[in-house]
Amino acid sequence: MKHLLIAACLVAPLVVSAEPLDNAEVRLPYAELLRLLEARQAAPSPTPPAMLPALAAARLKVSPAGDRVAIDASFRVTRFSDGMSLVPLIGGPVGLERSEPAELTLVVQGGQICHAASHFGNAAFSARFIADASDVPLVLPSCPSLILEAEGATFTVGVDDREYRLLPGQPLPLPASGANVTLRSLTTEEVEESEKPPLPSSWTWQHQVLVRDAEGELDHLVLARASATGGSGISAELLLPADARDLKAEGDDLAHFRVTRDAEGNNRLLLEWKSRDMLERELVISYRRPLRPLDASWQLAAPRGPEEASARARFLIAANPRRAFEGNGLAGPFDPAALPAKLREALGGTTYLTLESAATTAELGARELPLVATADAVILEATWSLRQESDGSLLAEGLLKIDHRQPLRVAFDSPKGYSLLSCAVAGQDTRPVDRGEGRIEIPLPPPGKETTQVQLSFTASGEALDAVSGTLALELPRTPLFIRTLTWRVDLPTAYRAEIHGNLTRENLLNTDPPSAIRLRKNLCRDETPAVSVFYQRADLSARP
């Protein structure tokens, strides 16, 4: 029984409990235990994934066969299991002439000639293929050792987007990932012509130069077209300003480019192409030049040839709403729809101006336009109350709700005779800065999710009110901030009634207001002093007939 319990513990799932299990027991019927043991023994072990057969090595020797091309190939194929499988060898317009051994099984699938076999291990064999053309496109599968070799002639070999010259006996390793290859055998005349030293060409250039202001630099994108009247057309030289950097060049048939410096510090862009005798060339050249912030004009410069008059340029200036451009011959703006695709993509739908130049330099006035100032803060609501006593003393209290985008100081001009009693910003007591002559500045904190509330209290003493009637001039502090809505309640002594005149509108009293109160409103004001003249009279006198 003890052995059965131990076996049950081994096959049962592990259960983690918060309670100690040192004294726990597991009891199972014998039939159930036997079933679990048999199921465990019968569980199949995981099968490793099958490895596919692969081409381990290939060497292709190409040679001319009349007006056709022969390919003598040797292959080594590895299979990791028995069972019929296909291994791609070569694809393209080729046919099989012979194979060794003769009983080798080759089939065509998916446009490629494949080796078919069913036995485990390595298999080495050779085959001769014939292409019925002088230009042969081939598709070669992935292979760790993929070698191409020429015999009896010189071939040009295009591998994906690059081209090589393959001399007799010269091996050319191809990418292990496989490649699309184009073979072409050169005639004797072509070989002799290619071995002649290249003749220099004299080029004339026409440039379209897109200039864009980009983060303190001038980005240049040049569509260059070159024409030559003689020579081999295989190399050219362009000069660019000394401050040009990040020079790049690209174009069809361009083998490579390099940048050097001449004795005067100018950048020399040296270009070399793959093919000879092409006397019309197109290039895309890009570079950047620093934009000096204090310069009132841009000194535009396009690439130029060694001879001063060998190049002309049209400058295209991307429109910028923050700048005003000026220059002799400046025209536009124009829609970029008619431009070549490269320039159109670089503009991204932005309009452009043109500046023609008989040479490769031009001066362009580029004046930065000032921005229209907007309000840093707005008082959404200003609520004031003023209590006037018969002896001439008064108390003015205000609550201002301010919407602002950044920390700043708000200025208030206090009416003559007013003294600040208290000031609080966002519920915190604050001491404003005294600028003199009744002007104070209140600091506002960084803005939050809600408006900032400012509470102000002022006191003043003036002449006592007349016992019968009189005139009273009342004012509120003035601020340069824009105020959407200002409301003001004036409380006179209860014995008085009043009429007002000023830059505020009188409103009806609320049911809870005493008859001596005055309610005023002013909407949409900026840098204006709210002020009224109050004509007061004792209520009992005004009621008499």
Side-chain angles (χ1 to χ4, degrees), residues 112-135:
Q112 289 190 307
I113 297 177
C114 303
H115 176 239
S118 60
H119 57 277
F120 168 85
N122 295 323
F125 53 89
S126 60
R128 180 179 176 87
F129 304 100
I130 299 294
D132 200 12
S134 57
D135 288 344

Side-chain angles (χ1 to χ4, degrees), residues 350-375:
T350 305
T351 58
Y352 68 96
L353 309 169
T354 63
L355 185 62
E356 299 281 350
S357 175
T360 57
T361 58
E363 183 175 355
L364 177 69
R367 178 168 51 89
E368 190 164 2
L369 298 175
L371 299 178
V372 177
T374 59

Side-chain angles (χ1 to χ4, degrees), residues 228-252:
T229 55
S232 301
I234 203 168
S235 63
E237 177 183 333
L238 285 171
L239 300 178
L240 289 96
D243 60 358
R245 57 178 180 267
D246 295 339
L247 272 75
K248 297 179 182 177
E250 60 182 42
D252 292 340

Side-chain angles (χ1 to χ4, degrees), residues 205 222-224 238 250-251 254 271 273 281-285:
W205 298 85
V222 183
L223 262 61
L238 285 171
E250 60 182 42
L254 183 66
L271 305 163
W273 287 276
R281 301 285 190 180
E282 290 188 359
L283 289 170
V284 178
I285 303 170

Side-chain angles (χ1 to χ4, degrees), residues 319-400:
N320 188 332
R322 296 180 288 108
R323 293 187 182 274
F325 296 108
E326 300 171 351
N328 294 328
L330 187 66
F334 299 103
D335 191 298
L339 290 176
K342 279 279 187 182
L343 298 178
R344 192 168 62 247
E345 291 171 6
L347 280 167
T350 305
T351 58
Y352 68 96
L353 309 169
T354 63
L355 185 62
E356 299 281 350
S357 175
T360 57
T361 58
E363 183 175 355
L364 177 69
R367 178 168 51 89
E368 190 164 2
L369 298 175
L371 299 178
V372 177
T374 59
D376 292 326
V378 172
I379 299 177
L380 300 180
E381 184 179 347
T383 304
W384 286 93
S385 65
L386 186 146
R387 179 181 173 184
Q388 178 69 54
E389 296 294 336
S390 299
D391 63 358
S393 60
L394 63 83
L395 173 65
E397 295 179 304
L399 174 62
L400 291 75

Side-chain angles (χ1 to χ4, degrees), residues 90-362:
I90 189 171
V94 297
L96 178 66
E97 183 179 86
R98 63 176 182 269
S99 64
E100 180 66 33
E103 63 273 13
L104 186 72
T105 303
L106 299 177
V107 299
V108 177
Q109 186 179 63
Q112 289 190 307
I113 297 177
C114 303
H115 176 239
S118 60
H119 57 277
F120 168 85
N122 295 323
F125 53 89
S126 60
R128 180 179 176 87
F129 304 100
I130 299 294
D132 200 12
S134 57
D135 288 344
V136 184
L138 300 177
V139 178
L140 301 178
S142 57
C143 177
S145 177
L146 189 58
I147 307 295
L148 191 65
E149 184 179 349
E151 184 179 62
T154 300
F155 285 80
T156 60
V157 181
V159 180
D160 295 329
D161 59 347
R162 302 190 64 180
E163 188 172 275
Y164 304 89
R165 176 162 298 184
L166 193 60
L167 302 177
Q170 176 186 359
L172 176 64
L174 298 177
S177 58
N180 293 321
V181 176
T182 302
L183 299 174
R184 187 174 75 85
S185 61
L186 299 180
T187 64
T188 304
E189 292 78 9
E190 287 177 320
V191 173
E192 292 176 353
E193 183 66 24
S194 66
E195 291 176 351
K196 290 181 180 178
L199 300 175
S201 298
S202 179
W203 299 93
T204 58
W205 298 85
Q206 290 189 359
H207 303 306
Q208 292 188 81
V209 186
L210 174 61
V211 182
R212 294 170 294 170
D213 177 2
E215 299 181 357
E217 294 184 312
L218 292 179
D219 275 354
H220 294 67
L221 181 65
V222 183
L223 262 61
R225 185 177 183 89
S227 302
T229 55
S232 301
I234 203 168
S235 63
E237 177 183 333
L238 285 171
L239 300 178
L240 289 96
D243 60 358
R245 57 178 180 267
D246 295 339
L247 272 75
K248 297 179 182 177
E250 60 182 42
D252 292 340
D253 198 53
L254 183 66
H256 60 269
F257 71 92
R258 58 191 177 95
V259 180
T260 63
R261 293 271 185 180
D262 62 13
E264 299 176 358
N266 293 315
N267 287 294
R268 296 173 66 237
L269 180 61
L270 306 177
L271 305 163
E272 292 190 11
W273 287 276
K274 303 172 187 175
S275 306
R276 300 165 63 114
D277 302 327
M278 295 177 65
L279 304 183
E280 294 289 332
R281 301 285 190 180
E282 290 188 359
L283 289 170
V284 178
I285 303 170
S286 61
Y287 54 94
R288 296 184 299 156
R289 298 180 65 202
L291 179 60
R292 298 169 180 85
L294 300 183
D295 289 350
S297 61
W298 295 354
Q299 304 300 321
L300 305 180
R304 61 182 177 87
E307 299 178 8
E308 193 68 34
S310 62
R312 295 177 54 192
R314 171 190 293 164
F315 294 98
L316 314 178
I317 298 93
N320 188 332
R322 296 180 288 108
R323 293 187 182 274
F325 296 108
E326 300 171 351
N328 294 328
L330 187 66
F334 299 103
D335 191 298
L339 290 176
K342 279 279 187 182
L343 298 178
R344 192 168 62 247
E345 291 171 6
L347 280 167
T350 305
T351 58
Y352 68 96
L353 309 169
T354 63
L355 185 62
E356 299 281 350
S357 175
T360 57
T361 58

